[in-house]
Amino acid sequence: MPKKLVPRWSDATRAIHSGEPRHGLNVPVTTPIIRTSNFNFADTAELKRFAEGKSKAYLYTRYGNPTLSVAEAKIADLENAEAALVTASGTAAIASALLAALQSGDEVIATRQIYGGSFNFFRDTLPRLGIRTHFVETSLEGVDRLVNAKTRVLYVESPANPTLQLVDLKKAAALARKHKLVSMVDSTFGSPVLQKPLDLGFDLVLHSATKYLAGHSDIVAGVAAGSRARISKVREMMIRLGGSMDPDAGYLLIRGLKTLELRVHRQCATALELARFLERHPKIARVHYPGLKSHPDRRLARRQMAGGFGGMLAFDLKGGLPAARRFCDRAKIFLLAASLGGVESLIVLPIYTSHHRMGTTELAAAGISPGMVRVSVGLEDAVDLIADVQQALS
Ligand code: PLP
């Protein structure tokens, strides 16, 4: 395709066109799924060149695959990254990124307000490898004091699952740079439509692509994006751990990316409307949504997120867990299901799902109350969603 026709594409155009061979006789309009585990070589000379790192040929789908390369080109473009990697899940991307940067004896500083699975990885898995994690608040207070000669990584998530607290990404990246730490951010809730952490100085941006990037609740997937050198190390670890994406999932991720911007903007608008409705409801104690004036990180959200505050929100009911369970059991349009970022609106109780392996003290420290309901806003009409909330609360 005439690559340089438009010098700098917008995100919507990049998501549709990046990485795709477009122009030419009978070039397919959609991305072919190269459903193969391995690739044929013409001769042993070419194989030798591959082994010496001199060939760009594909060898084996765990290492790379043309369908996955298209997905990676799109992700790299959307995150303003030199390179990107797709993986079998967000967890595979996170684990590969961390293990590529750490070895026994190292230490990590991480915010405690993160996805429960990531928290468990820091709390339970890394210590078995001799790697210790110090948890801090989203304010990053105390990081300077905790850094020592063993500290290697600063890991944050913003907005945080499920409390929607924000980390000042510019500040986090600068702190990491000051202490020569590798900075990593799980940007799943934000998506590259709303925030681009690499532009703010982060070394690596990670996503559960299961969520907004793929967007249709039909695959489990992950991505990492950053410099060519850093992604190459993460890829090497991913190859060793075996967390590669399947080409069929790669196709669905590519398809999802093409409508990412449309979906996220609509979800942001509906989420804001819903959050405002909930805040006025007499049975609601507190709504957590960065777009509300009452949110403690609102000013930061306005500075850091562009075009909206995301499609995720959470709320606490005055009646605590029993009231939250009643609400979830009565909702009709909202599905009671884990995960997020799809076209269907979902509700869930984090204490029973994303954060169920955390203890009472850990949950309280992360700001997760037993009766907190997490909402993933889909593409249904806001009027219908508000009516459903109203009837479920009545
Ligand atoms: N990061 C966040 C913010 C998540 O919500 C999740 C999953 O819920 C993950 C990472 C893990 O991603 P996956 O389930 O794709 O492994």
Side-chain angles (χ1 to χ4, degrees), residues 35-64:
R35 192 182 284 131
T36 186
S37 51
N38 44 3
F39 297 82
N40 188 28
F41 279 69
D43 50 34
T44 54
E46 188 58 26
L47 258 185
K48 181 167 177 283
R49 274 171 44 76
F50 180 89
E52 291 165 351
K54 293 176 186 160
S55 161
K56 289 219 165 95
Y58 293 98
L59 174 78
Y60 186 57
T61 286
R62 176 157 49 82
Y63 289 57

Short mmCIF file of all heavy atoms in Angstrom, two decimals, residues 35-64:
data_model
loop_
_atom_site.label_atom_id
_atom_site.label_comp_id
_atom_site.label_asym_id
_atom_site.label_seq_id
_atom_site.Cartn_x
_atom_site.Cartn_y
_atom_site.Cartn_z
N ARG A 35 -3.55 -20.20 9.58
CA ARG A 35 -3.76 -21.23 10.60
C ARG A 35 -2.76 -22.35 10.39
O ARG A 35 -3.06 -23.39 9.80
CB ARG A 35 -5.20 -21.73 10.53
CG ARG A 35 -5.59 -22.57 11.73
CD ARG A 35 -6.98 -23.09 11.61
NE ARG A 35 -7.99 -22.10 11.88
CZ ARG A 35 -9.04 -21.87 11.11
NH1 ARG A 35 -9.21 -22.54 10.01
NH2 ARG A 35 -9.94 -20.96 11.44
N THR A 36 -1.56 -22.13 10.86
CA THR A 36 -0.52 -23.14 10.75
C THR A 36 0.36 -23.06 11.99
O THR A 36 0.51 -21.97 12.56
CB THR A 36 0.33 -22.93 9.48
OG1 THR A 36 1.26 -24.02 9.34
CG2 THR A 36 1.12 -21.64 9.51
N SER A 37 0.92 -24.19 12.38
CA SER A 37 1.85 -24.14 13.51
C SER A 37 3.27 -23.88 13.04
O SER A 37 4.11 -23.39 13.79
CB SER A 37 1.77 -25.44 14.32
OG SER A 37 1.93 -26.54 13.46
N ASN A 38 3.56 -24.23 11.75
CA ASN A 38 4.95 -24.15 11.30
C ASN A 38 5.04 -23.66 9.85
O ASN A 38 4.03 -23.57 9.15
CB ASN A 38 5.63 -25.51 11.45
CG ASN A 38 4.74 -26.65 10.98
OD1 ASN A 38 3.63 -26.41 10.49
ND2 ASN A 38 5.20 -27.87 11.12
N PHE A 39 6.24 -23.33 9.42
CA PHE A 39 6.44 -22.72 8.10
C PHE A 39 7.55 -23.47 7.36
O PHE A 39 8.57 -23.85 7.95
CB PHE A 39 6.80 -21.24 8.26
CG PHE A 39 5.69 -20.45 8.90
CD1 PHE A 39 5.53 -20.45 10.29
CD2 PHE A 39 4.76 -19.76 8.14
CE1 PHE A 39 4.50 -19.75 10.89
CE2 PHE A 39 3.71 -19.06 8.73
CZ PHE A 39 3.58 -19.06 10.11
N ASN A 40 7.31 -23.61 6.06
CA ASN A 40 8.25 -24.36 5.23
C ASN A 40 9.45 -23.49 4.84
O ASN A 40 9.29 -22.30 4.56
CB ASN A 40 7.47 -24.78 3.97
CG ASN A 40 8.25 -25.72 3.09
OD1 ASN A 40 9.10 -26.45 3.57
ND2 ASN A 40 7.97 -25.68 1.80
N PHE A 41 10.64 -24.08 4.82
CA PHE A 41 11.85 -23.37 4.38
C PHE A 41 12.31 -23.93 3.05
O PHE A 41 12.21 -25.13 2.79
CB PHE A 41 12.96 -23.51 5.43
CG PHE A 41 12.80 -22.54 6.58
CD1 PHE A 41 11.77 -22.68 7.49
CD2 PHE A 41 13.67 -21.47 6.74
CE1 PHE A 41 11.60 -21.79 8.53
CE2 PHE A 41 13.52 -20.57 7.77
CZ PHE A 41 12.47 -20.74 8.67
N ALA A 42 12.83 -23.06 2.20
CA ALA A 42 13.24 -23.48 0.85
C ALA A 42 14.44 -24.41 0.92
O ALA A 42 14.52 -25.40 0.20
CB ALA A 42 13.55 -22.26 0.00
N ASP A 43 15.37 -24.10 1.80
CA ASP A 43 16.58 -24.93 1.89
C ASP A 43 17.26 -24.72 3.25
O ASP A 43 16.88 -23.84 4.02
CB ASP A 43 17.55 -24.61 0.74
CG ASP A 43 17.80 -23.12 0.60
OD1 ASP A 43 17.82 -22.42 1.64
OD2 ASP A 43 17.97 -22.64 -0.54
N THR A 44 18.29 -25.49 3.49
CA THR A 44 18.97 -25.41 4.79
C THR A 44 19.74 -24.11 4.94
O THR A 44 19.97 -23.64 6.06
CB THR A 44 19.94 -26.60 4.99
OG1 THR A 44 20.82 -26.64 3.86
CG2 THR A 44 19.18 -27.91 5.12
N ALA A 45 20.11 -23.50 3.81
CA ALA A 45 20.82 -22.21 3.89
C ALA A 45 19.91 -21.17 4.54
O ALA A 45 20.35 -20.38 5.39
CB ALA A 45 21.24 -21.77 2.48
N GLU A 46 18.62 -21.21 4.18
CA GLU A 46 17.66 -20.26 4.75
C GLU A 46 17.43 -20.58 6.24
O GLU A 46 17.33 -19.68 7.07
CB GLU A 46 16.34 -20.33 3.96
CG GLU A 46 15.31 -19.27 4.31
CD GLU A 46 15.78 -17.83 4.15
OE1 GLU A 46 16.70 -17.59 3.33
OE2 GLU A 46 15.26 -16.96 4.88
N LEU A 47 17.38 -21.87 6.55
CA LEU A 47 17.23 -22.28 7.96
C LEU A 47 18.41 -21.78 8.79
O LEU A 47 18.24 -21.29 9.91
CB LEU A 47 17.20 -23.81 8.05
CG LEU A 47 15.86 -24.50 8.25
CD1 LEU A 47 16.07 -26.00 8.43
CD2 LEU A 47 15.09 -23.96 9.45
N LYS A 48 19.61 -21.92 8.20
CA LYS A 48 20.83 -21.49 8.91
C LYS A 48 20.77 -19.98 9.15
O LYS A 48 21.08 -19.50 10.23
CB LYS A 48 22.05 -21.86 8.07
CG LYS A 48 23.39 -21.49 8.69
CD LYS A 48 24.53 -22.17 7.94
CE LYS A 48 25.89 -21.75 8.50
NZ LYS A 48 26.31 -20.42 8.07
N ARG A 49 20.32 -19.25 8.12
CA ARG A 49 20.21 -17.79 8.26
C ARG A 49 19.24 -17.44 9.39
O ARG A 49 19.47 -16.53 10.17
CB ARG A 49 19.73 -17.17 6.94
CG ARG A 49 20.86 -16.86 5.95
CD ARG A 49 20.34 -16.45 4.57
NE ARG A 49 19.22 -15.48 4.62
CZ ARG A 49 19.36 -14.18 4.90
NH1 ARG A 49 20.55 -13.68 5.11
NH2 ARG A 49 18.30 -13.40 4.94
N PHE A 50 18.15 -18.23 9.47
CA PHE A 50 17.17 -17.99 10.54
C PHE A 50 17.83 -18.21 11.91
O PHE A 50 17.69 -17.38 12.82
CB PHE A 50 15.95 -18.91 10.40
CG PHE A 50 14.93 -18.69 11.48
CD1 PHE A 50 13.93 -17.73 11.33
CD2 PHE A 50 15.00 -19.38 12.69
CE1 PHE A 50 13.01 -17.49 12.34
CE2 PHE A 50 14.10 -19.14 13.71
CZ PHE A 50 13.10 -18.19 13.53
N ALA A 51 18.54 -19.32 12.04
CA ALA A 51 19.17 -19.66 13.32
C ALA A 51 20.19 -18.60 13.73
O ALA A 51 20.40 -18.35 14.93
CB ALA A 51 19.84 -21.02 13.22
N GLU A 52 20.78 -17.94 12.76
CA GLU A 52 21.78 -16.90 13.05
C GLU A 52 21.14 -15.53 13.26
O GLU A 52 21.83 -14.52 13.43
CB GLU A 52 22.80 -16.83 11.90
CG GLU A 52 23.68 -18.07 11.83
CD GLU A 52 24.44 -18.21 10.51
OE1 GLU A 52 24.17 -17.43 9.55
OE2 GLU A 52 25.29 -19.10 10.43
N GLY A 53 19.81 -15.49 13.21
CA GLY A 53 19.10 -14.23 13.42
C GLY A 53 19.18 -13.29 12.24
O GLY A 53 18.96 -12.08 12.38
N LYS A 54 19.48 -13.83 11.05
CA LYS A 54 19.65 -12.97 9.88
C LYS A 54 18.43 -12.99 8.95
O LYS A 54 18.42 -12.33 7.93
CB LYS A 54 20.88 -13.43 9.08
CG LYS A 54 22.20 -13.22 9.81
CD LYS A 54 23.34 -13.80 8.99
CE LYS A 54 24.64 -13.75 9.78
NZ LYS A 54 25.63 -14.69 9.25
N SER A 55 17.42 -13.80 9.31
CA SER A 55 16.27 -13.94 8.42
C SER A 55 15.00 -13.48 9.13
O SER A 55 14.84 -13.69 10.34
CB SER A 55 16.12 -15.41 8.02
OG SER A 55 14.83 -15.66 7.53
N LYS A 56 14.11 -12.87 8.38
CA LYS A 56 12.83 -12.44 8.97
C LYS A 56 11.75 -13.50 8.76
O LYS A 56 10.58 -13.26 9.03
CB LYS A 56 12.39 -11.12 8.33
CG LYS A 56 13.26 -9.94 8.76
CD LYS A 56 12.39 -8.69 8.96
CE LYS A 56 13.11 -7.61 9.71
NZ LYS A 56 13.75 -6.61 8.84
N ALA A 57 12.16 -14.68 8.27
CA ALA A 57 11.18 -15.73 7.98
C ALA A 57 10.47 -16.17 9.25
O ALA A 57 10.99 -16.01 10.35
CB ALA A 57 11.89 -16.93 7.35
N TYR A 58 9.26 -16.71 9.07
CA TYR A 58 8.55 -17.31 10.20
C TYR A 58 8.99 -18.76 10.33
O TYR A 58 9.20 -19.44 9.32
CB TYR A 58 7.04 -17.26 9.97
CG TYR A 58 6.49 -15.85 9.97
CD1 TYR A 58 6.25 -15.17 8.78
CD2 TYR A 58 6.22 -15.20 11.17
CE1 TYR A 58 5.75 -13.89 8.78
CE2 TYR A 58 5.72 -13.91 11.18
CZ TYR A 58 5.49 -13.26 9.98
OH TYR A 58 5.00 -11.98 9.99
N LEU A 59 9.15 -19.25 11.56
CA LEU A 59 9.58 -20.62 11.80
C LEU A 59 8.43 -21.46 12.35
O LEU A 59 8.13 -22.54 11.85
CB LEU A 59 10.73 -20.62 12.83
CG LEU A 59 11.20 -21.98 13.32
CD1 LEU A 59 12.10 -22.63 12.27
CD2 LEU A 59 11.98 -21.86 14.63
N TYR A 60 7.78 -20.89 13.38
CA TYR A 60 6.86 -21.67 14.21
C TYR A 60 5.94 -20.67 14.90
O TYR A 60 6.42 -19.62 15.35
CB TYR A 60 7.72 -22.44 15.22
CG TYR A 60 7.01 -23.43 16.10
CD1 TYR A 60 6.27 -24.46 15.55
CD2 TYR A 60 7.13 -23.35 17.48
CE1 TYR A 60 5.64 -25.38 16.37
CE2 TYR A 60 6.51 -24.27 18.31
CZ TYR A 60 5.77 -25.29 17.75
OH TYR A 60 5.14 -26.21 18.56
N THR A 61 4.66 -20.93 14.96
CA THR A 61 3.70 -19.91 15.39
C THR A 61 3.90 -19.44 16.83
O THR A 61 3.55 -18.31 17.15
CB THR A 61 2.27 -20.39 15.08
OG1 THR A 61 2.08 -20.28 13.66
CG2 THR A 61 1.19 -19.54 15.76
N ARG A 62 4.52 -20.27 17.68
CA ARG A 62 4.80 -19.75 19.04
C ARG A 62 5.79 -18.58 18.99
O ARG A 62 5.79 -17.71 19.84
CB ARG A 62 5.34 -20.89 19.93
CG ARG A 62 5.74 -20.43 21.33
CD ARG A 62 5.74 -21.57 22.36
NE ARG A 62 6.45 -22.74 21.90
CZ ARG A 62 7.78 -22.89 21.97
NH1 ARG A 62 8.54 -21.95 22.48
NH2 ARG A 62 8.35 -24.00 21.53
N TYR A 63 6.63 -18.55 17.97
CA TYR A 63 7.61 -17.47 17.80
C TYR A 63 7.01 -16.27 17.07
O TYR A 63 7.41 -15.13 17.28
CB TYR A 63 8.82 -17.95 16.98
CG TYR A 63 9.74 -18.93 17.67
CD1 TYR A 63 9.26 -20.13 18.18
CD2 TYR A 63 11.09 -18.65 17.78
CE1 TYR A 63 10.11 -21.04 18.78
CE2 TYR A 63 11.96 -19.57 18.38
CZ TYR A 63 11.46 -20.75 18.88
OH TYR A 63 12.30 -21.64 19.48
N GLY A 64 6.10 -16.54 16.17
CA GLY A 64 5.52 -15.46 15.35
C GLY A 64 4.73 -16.04 14.20
O GLY A 64 4.92 -17.20 13.83
#
